[in-house]
Amino acid sequence: MSTPVDAERAWQDLQRIRVPQERVYDEVERSARSDAGPTYVTAAVMWVFLAVTGLDLPMWAFWLVLTAYFAVLSTVAVVHSRRSRIRLHRSRHSWRSFATFVAGMVVTLVTILASGFVADRLALPFASLIQATVSTGAFVLFVGPANRWAVSALRDRGTRAVPEGVGR
């Protein structure tokens, strides 16, 4: 039992499905370009954490500051994810998202270690403030372009799901 398929009707149905999908990709790309709030909040929290850890704190105070740091970062992540209007399931995250996350961790860690090493070797006054400022600056400079790169492939993945010859 085969049902006859009207090619024109099938193409119209496909276009009706693809238009909302394109709007979703537009919203994700817009969010990656213009939503810098969580980035700056994360950078500010990171700066405070790095500046405070440069002080001579007792071990219990260090662990308290570290716990507070992770609590605030978790809160920022939860608030931002709940505020997001788009829930795309798997299509929102690609291998580029994972690679961006790992690369961001590596860049931030290397910058923290390198700036701390240089500040200590040069015996700079306020070394923890210099280390915090340089590391936070590297983080902010990395996150914007990296997020745009990670999101740029989502639209291509959605269009590859449609066979090439359909509707043409």
Side-chain angles (χ1 to χ4, degrees):
M1 283 176 55
S2 67
T3 305
V5 176
D6 179 19
E8 186 62 32
R9 176 75 179 153
W11 177 249
Q12 290 171 351
D13 290 343
L14 179 64
Q15 292 308 308
R16 196 174 59 242
I17 293 168
R18 287 185 76 193
V19 168
Q21 181 183 13
E22 291 297 316
R23 288 186 185 141
V24 167
Y25 291 133
D26 290 343
E27 180 65 21
V28 170
E29 289 171 353
R30 183 201 60 77
S31 176
R33 269 195 310 271
S34 63
D35 195 11
T39 301
Y40 292 135
V41 171
T42 302
V45 170
M46 184 172 84
W47 188 91
V48 169
F49 174 72
L50 290 172
V52 168
T53 55
L55 303 173
D56 279 336
L57 297 175
M59 192 52 78
W60 65 269
F62 170 77
W63 288 109
L64 183 65
V65 169
L66 184 65
T67 303
Y69 176 65
F70 281 120
V72 171
L73 284 184
S74 299
T75 303
V76 169
V78 167
V79 167
H80 179 65
S81 69
R82 286 186 181 165
R83 191 173 55 96
S84 177
R85 297 179 352 202
I86 303 221
R87 306 226 183 262
L88 286 180
H89 190 50
R90 283 175 287 143
S91 65
R92 184 173 183 178
H93 303 289
S94 65
W95 69 270
R96 286 184 174 197
S97 300
F98 180 71
T100 301
F101 182 73
V102 171
M105 286 190 316
V106 169
V107 165
T108 304
L109 180 63
V110 167
T111 307
I112 289 170
L113 294 175
S115 62
F117 178 76
V118 170
D120 286 342
R121 286 289 180 189
L122 296 176
L124 296 173
F126 309 112
S128 66
L129 298 180
I130 294 169
Q131 179 184 17
T133 303
V134 170
S135 301
T136 303
F139 172 78
V140 169
L141 290 175
F142 176 82
V143 166
N147 280 345
R148 287 189 294 277
W149 176 77
V151 168
S152 67
L154 291 179
R155 187 181 304 267
D156 296 337
R157 279 182 32 189
T159 57
R160 273 188 278 154
V162 179
E164 276 300 313
V166 174
R168 291 190 178 128

